[in-house]
Amino acid sequence: MSQTGQVRHLAIIMDGNGRWAKKRHLPRMAGHKQGMENIRRIARACDDHGIKVLTLYAFSTENWARPKKEVSYLMSLPVNFFNHYMPELQERNVKVKIMGYPDKLPAATEKAVQRAMAETADNTGMILNFAFNYGSRAEIISACQELAAEAAAGKIDPAEIDEQSFSQHLMTADLGELADPDLLIRTSGEERLSNFLLWQLAYSEFYFIDRFWPDFDEDDLQTALTAFANRHRRFGKI
Ligand code: V07
């Protein structure tokens, strides 16, 4: 956890792509495409700000209920994203990670995602972490199941389970001391977590901005980071 006012791990819920499109009388898909392009702009700016981990909430396990055409379009975006941006990610030494359940994805999507992770596995710069087909309650339940299985097998004593060992079973475990975001930004005016990083956001600052994700730009990011730096972070202490 950063005490200096510098954001090391930034998480963003990228909301408002559909409404952005509607305002322009465009199909929802056009908003998703513009939203995808905005990831490049904001990821660049985060890298320039020295942010170490950028976690983006792109698609939740609940989104499968959307119209079939929209779901399949959303599933094509990771393929599209890496086709267009992999050269710049490599140039910037960015490491791609995915948090979520990759198994149920269309084969082409899973392949693109696996390949991007493999191709950037040795990069040492900013981590671009996609929460993709992710749900926080499911993540917490999986952690419980793993710990319960270890207890039932006599490998651990239930009384020894603590925050430290619990967090080792979450999908952010490999981020080490950077697992918990310093700051969460949600665009588009909604002020909810929507099943995103429930455990990891316990002490994070929240920043809500009434602007659609495709319109969220470098200046908005700067404003959010400045607001963060100006807040007192006491972690419940005086
Ligand atoms: C999606 C664009 C951004 C705004 C949110 C709605 C639409 C990039 C990805 C992506 C996901 C995984 C990955 C690489 C890229 C993405 C979805 C939606 C589902 F490894 N944009 N984007 N995934 N939108």
Side-chain angles (χ1 to χ4, degrees), residues 106-121:
T109 308
E110 202 197 327
K111 204 175 138 204
V113 158
Q114 294 295 347
R115 196 173 135 195
M117 284 194 288
E119 284 178 359
T120 62

Side-chain angles (χ1 to χ4, degrees), residues 17 32 35-36 39 58-59 74 77-78 82 98 113 130 132 213:
N17 306 282
H32 293 323
M36 183 193 81
I39 293 175
F59 189 80
L74 287 168
L77 288 175
F82 293 124
I98 317 288
V113 158
F130 286 97
F132 184 55
W213 168 249

Side-chain angles (χ1 to χ4, degrees), residues 88-100:
E88 182 173 353
L89 296 177
Q90 292 292 15
E91 207 170 289
R92 285 183 176 259
N93 194 23
V94 169
K95 185 178 182 129
V96 173
K97 282 184 181 275
I98 317 288
M99 240 178 42

Side-chain angles (χ1 to χ4, degrees), residues 149-188:
E150 287 178 25
K155 289 185 196 151
I156 58 163
D157 175 354
E160 277 169 18
I161 298 171
D162 58 9
E163 294 184 13
Q164 174 68 25
S165 64
F166 191 87
S167 59
Q168 286 307 307
H169 291 264
L170 298 172
M171 291 174 181
T172 42
D174 59 350
L175 295 173
E177 57 160 19
L178 293 172
D180 299 337
D182 302 296
L183 175 65
L184 168 77
I185 297 175
R186 181 168 187 157
T187 59
S188 199

Side-chain angles (χ1 to χ4, degrees), residues 11 20 42 59 70 115 189 192 195 220 228:
W20 179 91
I42 296 304
F59 189 80
E70 187 173 347
R115 196 173 135 195
R192 295 189 290 277
N195 202 19
D220 297 322
F228 173 87

